[in-house]
Amino acid sequence: MTRHFATINGKPVTGGPSFAVVNPATGGEAGRAPNMGAAELDAAVAAAQAAFPEWSTRSDEALQAACAAVTAKIEEHAEELARLVTLEQGKPLNGLGSRWEIGGAIAWAGYTTGLSLPIKVLQDNEQGRVELHRKPLGVVGSITPWNFPLMIAIWHILPALRTGNTVVIKPSPHTPLSTLRLVEIINAVLPPGVVNVVTGDDKAFNIGAAMSAHPDIRKIVFTGSCATGQKIMQSAAPTMKRLTLEMGGNDAGIVLPDVDPEKIAEGLFWGAFINNGQTCAAMKRLYVHESVHDAVCDALAAFARKIEVGDGMDEKSILGPIQNRMQFDKVLSLVADAKKRGRVLLGGEPGEGLFFPPTIITGLSNGDALVDEEQFGPALPVICYRDVEEAIAMANDSSNGLGGSVWSSDVEAARKLAGKMQCGSVWINKHGAIQPNAPFGGVKASGLGVEFAEEGLQEYTDVQVIFA
Ligand code: NAD
């Protein structure tokens, strides 16, 4: 099987122990990744620290040109990276799968390249001139999850580079291969040490935990579960690291009585089932008014029946397997519990290996585990409601607050309700449609800070005010 190499200080790190990465579609080996420890992490951080003085003092134009070169490199290797993502992550090449993910990575990289944080003049009069400068932090540690390994890597790396920081990235042990290759590819256009990658299986040594406590890392940008985000916050405290934490969600969608069920079925389906539901801002609970409940359920199930599930390498597949055994078991147990309480409209029975068909279960309510917990898989609970205020209250009855959506023919009425939802993003007649020019982040337990746009870029800098 192909062994993939880490890149530290611009050089491939060969030798040393490795671990197997599973192809979730077949159960076979997708490749092997280095199983690194404290020494390799220290070497990567030292390389990033050594690269920082030159990189951080480059002109804004030079940083922008370097980011454009990074974007071009990803574009050049798009198909290779897409295949690697499908191999290790399971999502199909087609549909909203790996080619779409790499397309997103390129779009984000390009947009971030074009952003800048110019000096802001706060005052300029006879009393004096006051300027706000944005300064790079130093070494940024990036810790990524397994659901969108390549796109999230770009969400972390590009803003760090654009603002003059250097990077050590650590992908999930479930999906390290595409990040290893990405870092190798972009090192061709970067000075040694500007972007380094370390990988490990999280067994004997947890690299992410060590990064969170590392004295020479100035910021952690993390995407992953709430439990891990909380641990990072604790271990980052003694070194006062800057943190951007994008964590779990349990997004609610609220369907108002005035919808046309046929018209919204496709949007509802992809809002919930994109990447098999393994998406932070997927719709994970659907509240439907009683007057349209049955019609919406029928239209949604009819659309879902047309979706081809299979090995992502097959060009016909539109959804792949669940990414890993732990997640599969979680979905299986939540569906088993929901089946006792509600009515299965579609799916409900596991397929071969890690395959699980799109599953829709109605007749559930808040208090049922499939509604209250983040399933992070292809199983959507539908809750029937009578009163819109009651639906809002149920939607807000969650410790999470990542995204939410309102579905209605009356956009103005939907916008009013959107303001009552306790979450970082609210979509109207769609769900989860993030874009690089709009800040994205969670409220409540879903996170800290935002990514994307100017607001996201600012999080990779310290403010310095100069009074003259
Ligand atoms: P996870 O928290 O288990 O792992 C994420 C990363 O953290 C991995 O790289 C892992 O190796 C690392 N890690 C493990 N223990 C650590 C520790 N003690 N300290 C530091 N790092 C550690 O999450 P996951 O299972 O990979 O991803 C699924 C979760 O991520 C879901 O809850 C999902 O909602 C969330 N997610 C959120 C967003 C978002 O933008 N809000 C995006 C994608 C996924």
Side-chain angles (χ1 to χ4, degrees):
M1 239 331 128
T2 314
R3 164 142 187 183
H4 296 253
F5 299 108
T7 306
I8 294 178
N9 204 24
K11 293 187 201 76
V13 182
T14 54
S18 65
F19 64 98
V21 179
V22 176
N23 174 345
T26 62
E29 215 172 274
R32 297 191 73 80
N35 200 9
M36 296 175 139
E40 289 88 356
L41 173 62
D42 284 345
V45 175
Q49 234 186 350
F52 180 71
E54 190 275 326
W55 181 256
S56 60
T57 49
R58 286 189 176 197
S59 70
D60 204 52
E61 293 71 29
L63 288 175
Q64 198 158 36
C67 289
V70 166
T71 308
K73 271 282 157 202
I74 305 165
E75 233 169 333
E76 195 185 308
H77 292 269
E79 180 64 14
E80 177 198 350
L81 290 168
R83 289 187 167 272
L84 215 39
V85 168
T86 292
L87 197 67
E88 65 177 350
Q89 205 284 335
K91 68 183 64 181
L93 290 166
N94 282 322
L96 298 176
S98 60
R99 289 182 182 133
W100 180 81
E101 177 171 344
I102 310 305
I106 294 165
W108 254 270
Y111 187 83
T112 309
T113 297
L115 288 173
S116 57
L117 297 173
I119 297 163
K120 199 167 158 188
V121 180
L122 304 177
Q123 177 189 315
D124 192 13
N125 57 19
E126 56 283 3
Q127 268 88 45
R129 182 177 166 95
V130 182
E131 292 175 352
L132 186 154
H133 294 244
R134 293 269 170 192
K135 304 185 74 177
L137 300 167
V139 179
V140 169
S142 150
I143 304 175
T144 57
W146 47 258
N147 58 345
F148 287 91
L150 210 289
M151 185 147 74
I152 294 176
I154 291 303
W155 290 353
H156 291 184
I157 293 173
L158 256 291
L161 295 185
R162 181 65 192 89
T163 42
N165 299 282
T166 55
V167 177
V168 175
I169 184 168
K170 191 214 80 68
S172 164
H174 295 294
T175 53
L177 306 180
S178 51
T179 304
L180 289 168
R181 182 69 181 127
L182 169 76
V183 173
E184 186 187 349
I185 287 167
I186 65 177
N187 259 271
V189 292
L190 291 170
V194 169
V195 178
N196 310 273
V197 56
V198 285
T199 56
D201 66 4
D202 279 359
K203 287 182 182 150
F205 180 71
N206 187 314
I207 302 184
M211 286 168 74
S212 316
H214 204 291
D216 298 327
I217 293 182
R218 287 288 327 280
K219 172 191 172 82
I220 293 285
V221 51
F222 166 77
T223 305
S225 64
C226 294
T228 305
Q230 286 167 3
K231 284 186 201 155
I232 290 173
M233 203 166 175
Q234 280 174 341
S235 46
T239 48
M240 282 301 288
K241 284 186 180 54
R242 277 54 185 150
L243 295 175
T244 302
L245 304 175
E246 298 287 0
M247 287 132 76
N250 194 11
D251 292 12
I254 300 178
V255 176
L256 301 187
D258 66 355
V259 295
D260 176 344
E262 300 291 333
K263 259 197 188 158
I264 63 168
E266 182 173 356
L268 287 177
F269 179 81
W270 285 116
F273 290 94
I274 178 172
N275 201 30
N276 249 335
Q278 302 167 124
T279 305
C280 52
M283 191 166 63
K284 294 176 179 138
R285 311 173 271 158
L286 180 61
Y287 296 88
V288 184
H289 190 264
E290 58 178 0
S291 63
V292 285
H293 175 271
D294 292 356
V296 167
C297 286
D298 289 348
L300 178 58
F303 184 85
R305 262 185 215 104
K306 295 189 281 197
I307 299 299
E308 188 105 19
V309 180
D311 187 329
M313 284 297 181
D314 184 338
E315 299 275 349
K316 290 199 302 297
S317 300
I318 298 298
L319 286 177
I322 291 180
Q323 205 281 327
N324 58 73
R325 175 63 55 187
M326 196 188 66
Q327 200 58 44
F328 180 89
D329 289 344
K330 170 146 203 201
V331 173
L332 191 63
S333 103
L334 287 172
V335 168
D337 179 73
K339 277 156 80 174
K340 290 186 217 141
R341 296 154 203 280
R343 189 163 61 85
V344 178
L345 291 177
L346 189 74
E349 289 300 322
E352 301 247 308
L354 295 179
F355 284 94
F356 205 100
T359 292
I360 303 169
I361 303 183
T362 188
L364 298 174
S365 52
N366 281 35
D368 291 330
L370 186 59
V371 180
D372 288 359
E373 290 177 31
E374 186 192 28
Q375 68 278 52
F376 216 61
L380 179 69
V382 183
I383 304 102
C384 185
Y385 76 86
R386 280 202 179 144
D387 173 67
V388 176
E389 290 303 322
E390 174 205 0
I392 294 276
M394 288 191 288
N396 287 340
D397 184 19
S398 167
S399 57
N400 288 123
L402 194 56
S405 58
V406 183
W407 303 72
S408 169
S409 304
D410 181 348
V411 173
E412 273 321 303
R415 210 191 302 274
K416 283 203 186 97
L417 283 185
K420 297 185 178 184
M421 294 185 84
Q422 296 168 355
C423 47
S425 304
V426 189
W427 293 276
I428 294 170
N429 294 326
K430 54 191 167 189
H431 196 112
I434 49 172
Q435 47 191 63
N437 60 352
F440 172 71
V443 302
K444 302 201 276 187
S446 285
L448 194 71
V450 293
E451 295 188 271
F452 317 154
E454 201 177 305
E455 290 81 357
L457 205 59
Q458 287 172 358
E459 298 208 5
Y460 290 81
T461 63
D462 275 336
V463 166
Q464 184 178 57
V465 180
I466 300 181
F467 302 82

